[in-house]
Amino acid sequence: MEHFLNSLPKAELHMHLEGSLEPELMFELARRNNIELPYDTVDQIRAAYNFGNLQDFLDLYYQGAAVLQTEQDFYDLTWAYLKQCETQNVIHTEPFFDPQTHTARGIDIGTVIRGIDQALQHGREQLGISSRLILCFLRHLSEDDAALTLEQALPYRQHFVAVGLDSSEAGHPPAKFQRVFDKARSLGLLTVAHAGEEGPPEYIWQALDLLQVARIDHGVRASEDPALIERLVREQTPLTVCPLSNVRLRVFDKMSDHNVLELLQQGLRITINSDDPAYFGGYMGENFLALHQGLSLTRAQAIQLSRNAFDSAFVSDDEKAALQARLDNFVAHYRK
Ligand code: ADE
Ligand code: ZN
């Protein structure tokens, strides 16, 4: 099963590039940029990754991201992630980045976007991995700050296809960002939002109705609201679920408690993703494997989850068909 899950062609639709910063690269960039880290060893960093909730994680995640300074740093971060994708047959990815985490430290948004974009382009040319970039606003900051960020990003408009909403969910409802999302859509950008990770089902309704999102990131708390489940099934709104993240951030106590396969069974368009792979114990392959180990994920379910992700990607119908064809070909020929 491990070989099958690793070989399965996959798409990733919910991954924060800053969350793919492995401790080894964090040390290397700290050295390169003369930044003092509050750790002496990689083991010390990993030992600190013992989170009680989302905020515990975010505090360390923002601290870690401070080592990212130059265009080369953002390139190296993105390239390391793409190399992981290559080893696990992730053939399409739509990563998030958090510009405000960097502009707040005086780093130009162009430095961030150019470094990421260059690596994504090399990923297409050298690794055959297609990609689209998504710019996320930090919801613990003001809507005005998000609007300023969107404006700063406009010279790089051709490098991203959507905007998203992440960071501390509780107390920061989607409604707070309605105007900046209106503006983004008027520019032709698609929208997504984290909702129903720690926040209530009401935030999922708001993301759908007020932000008009094309996908919900996480969304696992939809299970508390039957009318919402009915709508998500009817509209086939994709949910980008992150199993290892949810267990590490204690949304569920253990993988065997996770509701993801129940949601799939109910007819929701569920996809599997890694969220912050360097912090939560694994990339796409490890997330699929954890579902097999904790919830007895079958091959047929894994194929369906992968199909859902290709269907939910922000690409043309032709590109979707080409991705699905690679999955079909794998399914027809896999022997082991
Ligand atoms: N930023 C990075 N990972 C996140 C998550 N799981 N929830 C909210 N914001 C995030
Ligand atoms: Zn996330």
Side-chain angles (χ1 to χ4, degrees):
M1 192 66 175
E2 191 168 348
H3 183 270
F4 174 86
L5 293 173
N6 195 68
S7 311
L8 180 72
K10 294 176 282 293
E12 174 145 66
L13 306 177
H14 181 162
M15 199 286 304
H16 306 260
L17 283 167
E18 294 88 347
S20 68
L21 178 60
E22 293 286 350
E24 290 80 3
L25 184 57
M26 196 189 292
F27 268 114
E28 189 184 325
L29 297 184
R31 199 173 335 106
R32 200 149 96 183
N33 294 323
N34 274 316
I35 291 168
E36 187 96 27
L37 284 176
Y39 314 99
D40 295 323
T41 65
V42 163
D43 285 345
Q44 275 180 20
I45 297 191
R46 289 198 202 280
Y49 292 172
N50 183 18
F51 315 113
N53 56 36
L54 175 59
Q55 194 59 51
D56 282 356
F57 155 70
L58 289 170
D59 292 344
L60 286 187
Y61 163 84
Y62 295 128
Q63 181 189 78
V67 302
L68 296 159
Q69 308 251 324
T70 66
E71 197 171 312
Q72 183 69 44
D73 297 343
F74 288 96
Y75 179 94
D76 291 349
L77 174 73
T78 308
W79 186 251
Y81 164 67
L82 290 167
K83 293 293 284 181
Q84 282 289 343
C85 288
E86 184 189 29
T87 68
Q88 299 191 337
N89 290 294
V90 175
I91 62 172
H92 178 78
T93 182
E94 299 188 356
F96 300 138
F97 73 114
D98 290 339
Q100 289 153 296
T101 301
H102 314 298
T103 53
R105 299 181 286 115
I107 294 170
D108 184 76
I109 197 167
T111 300
V112 180
I113 297 180
R114 283 191 300 270
I116 294 171
D117 182 66
Q118 189 65 220
L120 293 178
Q121 211 166 301
H122 287 165
R124 282 173 217 124
E125 294 162 4
Q126 297 170 29
L127 308 176
I129 298 172
S130 56
S131 52
R132 300 289 187 275
L133 184 60
I134 300 176
L135 181 158
C136 279
F137 302 120
L138 298 179
R139 69 201 305 157
H140 68 275
L141 301 177
S142 69
E143 185 179 41
D144 284 349
D145 204 278
L148 176 65
T149 302
L150 182 57
E151 204 176 298
Q152 289 167 338
L154 285 187
Y156 309 94
R157 168 68 187 83
Q158 76 273 24
H159 297 308
F160 57 99
V161 299
V163 297
L165 190 63
D166 63 4
S167 192
S168 321
E169 188 179 7
H172 302 286
K176 178 178 162 186
F177 295 91
Q178 190 172 352
R179 284 166 309 168
V180 70
F181 271 64
D182 282 346
K183 169 78 182 168
R185 287 198 321 280
S186 78
L187 294 165
L189 289 158
L190 295 164
T191 61
V192 297
H194 284 53
E197 178 187 22
E198 282 193 351
E202 167 61 17
Y203 286 15
I204 302 176
W205 287 102
Q206 285 186 15
L208 295 168
D209 291 332
L210 305 182
L211 306 186
Q212 298 180 37
V213 297
R215 304 192 294 242
I216 295 283
D217 295 317
H218 293 295
V220 292
R221 287 194 58 192
S223 61
E224 297 167 26
D225 183 339
L228 177 57
I229 290 288
E230 196 263 332
R231 175 174 179 181
L232 293 168
V233 170
R234 181 164 29 87
E235 297 183 355
Q236 284 294 290
T237 310
L239 261 53
T240 62
V241 177
C242 307
L244 284 174
S245 165
N246 292 153
V247 174
R248 292 296 289 269
L249 299 185
R250 317 216 44 99
V251 175
F252 297 94
D253 285 336
K254 48 189 192 304
M255 198 56 78
S256 54
D257 293 338
H258 205 295
N259 65 4
V260 62
L261 295 189
E262 270 164 50
L263 296 174
L264 182 69
Q265 168 67 26
Q266 288 175 297
L268 280 88
R269 191 184 277 185
I270 301 294
T271 69
I272 299 303
N273 306 272
S274 72
D275 206 7
D276 299 284
Y279 289 87
F280 299 148
Y283 291 78
M284 288 287 278
E286 287 79 12
N287 273 275
F288 272 87
L289 191 58
L291 292 182
H292 175 61
Q293 290 164 345
L295 290 169
S296 305
L297 175 79
T298 65
R299 285 189 186 189
Q301 286 170 326
I303 292 165
Q304 183 63 51
L305 290 165
S306 209
R307 201 171 290 296
N308 288 349
F310 293 133
D311 268 340
S312 308
F314 290 157
V315 299
S316 68
D317 288 348
D318 282 354
E319 272 186 272
K320 256 183 217 182
L323 291 166
Q324 296 289 13
R326 288 177 68 177
L327 179 58
D328 291 339
N329 187 55
F330 168 84
V331 171
H333 296 107
Y334 184 82
R335 294 283 173 276
K336 197 163 173 185

